[in-house]
Amino acid sequence: MRRVTRNLVLAILAVLVVLLALGALPGLLKTGDPYYLTATPVGEYGDQNASNATVANATVTNATVANGSAVDGANLSERAYPYTTAALANATGGEPGRSGPYWRGPVGFKEAFTHSPFDEVNALRGQHPNATVGEGVRVARNGTLYRVAVTQ
């Protein structure tokens, strides 16, 4: 093999190794206390309306999936919203549910390459602006209305 060809092959392999490291490394970085996505039950909702419930010192009246004041949690994809679906699945018996932990990376490096609970809440707030409550979002699932927010 010619010297130029060998150097080109080695350079391509080096680039591939760096790209693989960038794909795997950020998920392993951990800094500070972990963050969780917490689903706190705040009331019940029927087919159309929810009962009055207090959410972050604000009364939720007539929260419905139909008018966009609550996200339909039954239709959330586990692949697109793993933290949200885990928190909703872990909320049982009127007790808050919590997703798995998420650690931020140093200097914002990890956030650029990984999916986070912050991304999920921002996506839900952007898709359903009427469902926004403070820093969280209202999600309706299995007859219960939840306030889903990031906690530490």
Side-chain angles (χ1 to χ4, degrees):
M1 182 181 292
R2 295 177 127 183
R3 182 175 176 187
V4 174
T5 306
R6 184 191 57 172
N7 288 342
L8 179 64
V9 169
L10 290 175
I12 291 172
L13 287 174
V15 168
L16 288 175
V17 167
V18 168
L19 289 175
L20 286 172
L22 282 176
L25 178 66
L28 302 175
L29 297 174
K30 296 178 182 178
T31 299
D33 292 332
Y35 291 87
Y36 300 92
L37 203 61
T38 304
T40 307
V42 294
E44 294 180 3
Y45 79 100
D47 293 332
Q48 292 297 319
N49 296 325
S51 61
N52 292 341
T54 302
V55 180
N57 299 324
T59 301
V60 178
T61 307
N62 299 330
T64 68
V65 173
N67 72 10
S69 62
V71 177
D72 186 5
N75 291 330
L76 291 178
S77 167
E78 288 183 21
R79 291 184 58 144
Y81 298 99
Y83 292 102
T84 304
T85 55
L88 290 171
N90 291 333
T92 57
E95 294 296 317
R98 194 167 78 171
S99 69
Y102 172 80
W103 285 273
R104 286 191 177 218
V107 225
F109 177 75
K110 181 177 182 177
E111 289 78 17
F113 293 98
T114 60
H115 181 76
S116 73
F118 302 102
D119 297 333
E120 291 185 20
V121 170
N122 288 336
L124 291 172
R125 291 174 71 188
Q127 293 169 5
H128 307 278
N130 293 337
T132 300
V133 176
E135 293 297 317
V137 65
R138 284 187 299 267
V139 178
R141 183 172 178 183
N142 296 334
T144 304
L145 188 64
Y146 298 93
R147 179 181 181 273
V148 175
V150 178
T151 57
Q152 191 169 17

